Amino acid sequence: MVAVTEVASPLIDESVFTGKIFIDGEWVEGAGGTFGSIAPATGETLATVGLAGPADVRRAADSAAQAQREWAATPHPERAAVMRRAGQLWEQHAEEISGWNIREVGAIPPLAGFALHVSAAECYEAATLPSAPLGSILSSEEPRLSLAEQVPVGVVGVISPFNVPLILGIRAVAPALALGNAVLLKPDPRTVVTGGISLVRIFEEAGLPKGLLQLLPGGADVGEAMVADPQVRVIAFTGSTRAGRSVGELAGKHLKRAHLELGGNSAFIVREDVDVDQAVNLATWGSFLHQGQICMTVGRHIVHESRFEEYVSKLAAKADSMVVGDPAAGQVHLGPLIDEVQRDRVHSLVQDAVAQGATLAAGGTYDELFYRPTVLANPPKSAEAYCEEVFGPVASVVSYATDDEAVELASATEYGLSLGIVSRDALGALELARRIPTGIVHINDQTVNDEATAPFGGVGSSGTGSRHGGAQANIDAFTETRWITMRRDPGQYPL
């Protein structure tokens, strides 16, 4: 897709920073008060935004349900046109929104640019859904026409996290809208401008009728109200495994579907036949991109014993060479962690691993929210920095002797999101991958990848499977299946 290069007027201006939320096409006072959007790199307050409360969810859900009926009946070319315009607007406003992503989220410019690329791509792909085949003809033993039709679920609740707020919001919002649904969006309040206001403004400018996208930033009480609301029939949640379990449990109580994209502790297997420099290049991106605050981040580096010492040495040297700082102030490799709570958790896990016997090959220090990229060699398998999701720039490296041992190490986790394997024997690597349960596999690549056309999801404690990406996964996620039969004449029954 060729990027639109015309200069666009500001999309996000002072008019939206009034401490309000967005319901039924209007900026209104939220029951949750206000919240300051803080730049983690500097501590600067970037904007004052509104917070919703449970009562706002009820109002928004009712408004969305009313708007959805007319939207679902809108001819498919009109819904597709809104999605295409949204894609163009992401491109037109890329510099502006990237700036917010860099300042508010702490993303380095290449990641912020990639998020804008994916956001546009998600809308362009969503534009193909309104005209996609939404049903099939079924065989029947009766003299009738039997059909399965995919129909909109109605209102979809989208709960998105702070770390990559554009991608992790738009990948559910765009297909849900395209398929004729309305959406309630609850972004993390810490990144509400990037992950909430920008989406609202894009779709508003694209011509989406009012009431179809409602913005409800808030805390756990808002999420619980969204899951419990009878108008909301499907929940798309991205976040921690702990929070996801609560969402899934509450959704089950209310008999509604919850698509859960949760945590990870992805393995990266380095086989004996690799070029170590190439493997380290992949590993650096996989472990340290966005300060490790990505669910697909490489957490466990499982390296053949013949390459282990060289790998650790070169990965540590690379980590030591990386620049950590404010991505809005100059070129850096890593920006800040999101807040002090996350920084302190990361540091505690690193210190605990070292206390248990891990070798600190690089990093393990911080300045304010800037945590140095860290390499832990030979951590105990019980150390949380090795066996749990860290969500920080920490690479744990262990060795293996045989393929069977590599499979055992990679599989010894409750998570099953992404897997990377590096080898000169790609087919052999694929055979190895088939023995390790994950939702995503990348041969001769690291674990952090995303495309709008690809199904994305994990197994085990990483979630409930591929629920985003690609036409079929999106249709399955955001529609219901209705069985329809038609006879020429009324049927005859014996009673």
Side-chain angles (χ1 to χ4, degrees):
M1 183 64 63
V2 177
V4 179
T5 57
E6 65 183 87
V7 177
S9 58
L11 184 78
I12 302 171
D13 56 30
E14 293 299 322
S15 66
V16 303
F17 298 138
T18 55
K20 296 182 178 181
I21 60 176
F22 193 74
I23 296 179
D24 199 21
E26 304 289 339
W27 293 98
V28 300
E29 299 287 345
T34 62
F35 187 85
S37 171
I38 306 295
T42 64
E44 173 192 4
T45 298
L46 299 172
T48 298
V49 298
L51 294 178
D56 297 314
V57 175
R58 172 75 271 164
R59 175 184 172 189
D62 287 341
S63 169
Q66 293 180 22
Q68 185 271 331
R69 298 184 188 98
E70 184 175 350
W71 176 242
T74 301
H76 70 83
E78 294 182 29
R79 282 187 276 130
V82 171
M83 295 299 121
R84 287 193 296 271
R85 286 196 294 270
Q88 293 168 349
L89 286 164
W90 286 118
E91 295 172 340
Q92 290 174 9
H93 294 279
E95 182 176 356
E96 177 189 357
I97 299 173
S98 288
W100 279 103
N101 202 345
I102 292 165
R103 296 190 305 275
E104 186 185 43
V105 184
I108 62 173
L111 178 60
F114 177 71
L116 266 296
H117 166 74
V118 172
S119 296
E122 289 285 358
C123 289
Y124 290 131
E125 289 298 320
T128 69
L129 295 177
S131 59
L134 297 174
S136 57
I137 297 177
L138 309 176
S139 299
S140 178
E141 61 186 33
E142 296 291 328
R144 62 190 178 190
L145 181 62
S146 182
L147 308 172
E149 181 187 20
Q150 303 300 126
V151 298
V153 298
V155 181
V156 174
V158 177
I159 302 175
S160 60
F162 75 84
N163 57 319
V164 193
L166 281 180
I167 295 176
L168 302 183
I170 194 66
R171 70 180 184 182
V173 169
L177 289 172
L179 288 164
N181 300 291
V183 172
L184 307 187
L185 173 61
K186 190 192 96 63
D188 190 303
R190 291 171 291 183
T191 54
V192 68
V193 179
T194 306
I197 291 173
S198 66
L199 276 78
V200 165
R201 291 291 295 119
I202 287 288
F203 282 104
E204 191 177 25
E205 290 295 306
L208 184 73
K210 74 175 186 177
L212 292 172
L213 178 58
Q214 319 260 9
L215 180 62
L216 300 165
D221 58 341
V222 174
E224 290 170 3
M226 186 181 295
V227 177
D229 193 281
Q231 299 280 18
V232 179
R233 298 310 309 156
V234 165
I235 294 291
F237 172 87
T238 303
S240 71
T241 296
R242 178 188 56 78
R245 291 185 194 278
S246 297
V247 170
E249 181 179 3
L250 186 59
K253 178 181 178 181
H254 291 276
L255 301 179
K256 58 183 66 177
R257 279 186 282 158
H259 304 315
L260 307 176
E261 300 293 348
L262 310 178
N265 186 13
S266 296
F268 182 68
I269 298 176
V270 179
R271 304 188 83 190
E272 184 178 12
D273 60 356
V274 302
D275 179 311
V276 172
D277 290 321
Q278 290 179 342
V280 166
N281 173 265
L282 294 172
T284 300
W285 182 269
S287 275
F288 302 139
L289 177 66
H290 198 36
Q291 303 76 259
Q293 297 176 128
I294 301 174
C295 58
M296 297 170 283
T297 292
V298 176
R300 296 169 297 142
H301 300 241
I302 301 171
V303 182
H304 192 271
E305 60 185 9
S306 66
R307 300 295 198 177
F308 180 78
E309 296 297 335
E310 181 184 4
Y311 183 90
V312 170
S313 175
K314 289 184 174 180
L315 182 60
K318 182 67 175 178
D320 284 338
S321 74
M322 300 180 83
V323 178
V324 183
D326 181 358
Q331 184 173 348
V332 298
H333 298 105
L334 282 78
L337 294 174
I338 190 64
D339 57 26
E340 292 181 357
V341 173
Q342 182 61 19
R343 179 204 65 197
D344 292 346
R345 178 180 181 275
V346 170
H347 194 54
S348 175
L349 295 181
V350 171
Q351 289 183 309
D352 182 64
V354 173
Q356 293 186 54
T359 298
L360 184 63
T365 62
Y366 64 86
D367 179 14
E368 298 294 335
L369 298 183
F370 302 105
Y371 205 92
R372 291 294 312 172
T374 298
V375 178
L376 296 172
N378 289 314
K381 307 303 188 298
S382 59
E384 288 189 50
Y386 173 81
C387 66
E388 295 293 338
E389 181 178 47
V390 175
F391 231 59
V394 179
S396 292
V397 191
V398 298
S399 65
Y400 75 94
T402 67
D403 280 353
D404 287 344
E405 186 180 0
V407 169
E408 182 179 357
L409 287 169
S411 303
T413 177
E414 64 175 315
Y415 301 105
L417 185 51
S418 191
L419 169 68
I421 302 178
V422 187
S423 175
R424 296 184 189 276
D425 178 7
L427 288 179
L430 181 59
E431 291 173 359
L432 194 67
R434 286 174 172 158
R435 300 169 61 189
I436 301 167
T438 62
I440 303 167
V441 175
H442 298 294
I443 305 298
N444 286 325
D445 204 348
Q446 46 75 46
T447 56
V448 181
N449 279 274
D450 203 347
E451 289 191 40
T453 56
F456 183 99
V459 299
S461 292
S462 289
T464 53
S466 298
R467 302 296 186 183
H468 302 94
Q472 193 57 55
N474 285 326
I475 290 169
D476 291 344
F478 302 118
T479 66
E480 303 278 13
T481 302
R482 174 183 290 168
W483 182 34
I484 301 172
T485 69
M486 290 179 284
R487 292 176 178 264
R488 179 178 295 277
D489 299 309
Q492 297 293 316
Y493 293 92
L495 297 181

